[in-house]
Amino acid sequence: MTKHRPLIAVITLSLAFGCALWAQEKPAPPPAQAKAQTSGPVPLKVQIVIARYQGDKKIGSVPYTLTVNASGGGRASLRMSTQIAIPAGATGKDSGSYQFHSIGTNIDCTATGLDDGRFKLDINIEDSSVYPDVPGAQNVPKAFSDIPAFRSFSLSDSVILKDGQTSEFVAATDKLTGEVTRIDVTLTVVK
């Protein structure tokens, strides 16, 4: 038995050392799986303000607030519109016939959480309205002054924000009136 002692000691040490290595070498879960286990849906409040300016003077401002979850590409949609009746035919108001035109705002927002506590918002906005009688509208031919005119604005872009941050999303000038449309986006994490 004494001649087998070194062999038994080597086998015992090999088994003990192998078990210790095996216990230390447990594979880590893949990064995507680990992130999914530690983080759930993050509810966000996204405020979008569409403001119109004539020069430096604010002439209108309309806020919209959406709630969207920042997990797996959470999505929120808003549809708000009004049907406007427009007299049809050669005699206009006396014809008794109308066509309807939809005006309003459509907003789609998708949120994705980033690793550093910021969020990527993919935002699509479509906004349409009736042109008011604007003295600055110099480009309208007189022949069309009694015909309703509609303006539309469409935007699709992304912005990256952190909790409590506001960013000017876009600023664009109307060619006809010179009005500037500015859109601000504010993100708040709902706690």
Side-chain angles (χ1 to χ4, degrees), residues 66-69 73-79 107-111 122 124:
L66 300 103
T67 301
V68 60
N69 285 324
R75 180 182 168 99
S77 293
L78 177 129
R79 302 287 182 263
I107 300 174
D108 295 304
C109 178
T110 304
D122 295 309
N124 298 313

Side-chain angles (χ1 to χ4, degrees), residues 26-38:
K26 288 184 182 176
Q33 189 178 19
K35 187 175 181 180
Q37 291 171 354
T38 59

Side-chain angles (χ1 to χ4, degrees), residues 56-175:
D56 290 334
K57 180 183 175 189
K58 185 187 280 188
I59 57 175
S61 177
V62 183
Y64 300 93
T65 302
L66 300 103
T67 301
V68 60
N69 285 324
S71 65
R75 180 182 168 99
S77 293
L78 177 129
R79 302 287 182 263
M80 187 171 223
S81 66
T82 301
Q83 297 287 319
I84 301 291
I86 302 168
T91 59
K93 292 180 183 176
D94 298 332
S95 70
S97 176
Y98 295 91
Q99 292 180 348
F100 289 88
H101 187 81
S102 181
I103 62 164
T105 304
N106 297 328
I107 300 174
D108 295 304
C109 178
T110 304
T112 306
L114 303 177
D115 291 336
D116 56 358
R118 298 181 305 159
F119 299 90
K120 179 183 176 202
L121 302 176
D122 295 309
I123 301 173
N124 298 313
I125 300 172
E126 294 177 6
D127 185 66
S128 61
S129 59
V130 177
Y131 262 118
D133 293 331
V134 179
Q138 304 290 330
N139 301 328
V140 179
K142 294 275 186 204
F144 297 108
S145 61
D146 292 334
I147 299 172
F150 301 91
R151 65 176 157 204
S152 64
F153 180 90
S154 180
L155 170 73
S156 181
D157 203 355
S158 298
V159 64
I160 296 176
L161 298 171
K162 60 184 177 182
D163 185 21
Q165 187 176 7
T166 298
S167 177
E168 184 174 82
F169 193 52
V170 72
T173 304
D174 186 301
K175 290 181 180 181

Side-chain angles (χ1 to χ4, degrees), residues 44-64:
L44 305 175
K45 182 173 80 169
V46 178
Q47 183 177 45
I48 298 170
V49 178
I50 301 174
R52 298 194 193 283
Y53 292 81
Q54 189 71 48
D56 290 334
K57 180 183 175 189
K58 185 187 280 188
I59 57 175
S61 177
V62 183
Y64 300 93

Side-chain angles (χ1 to χ4, degrees), residues 16-40:
F17 185 69
C19 288
L21 281 179
W22 178 76
Q24 290 177 1
E25 291 183 13
K26 288 184 182 176
Q33 189 178 19
K35 187 175 181 180
Q37 291 171 354
T38 59
S39 65

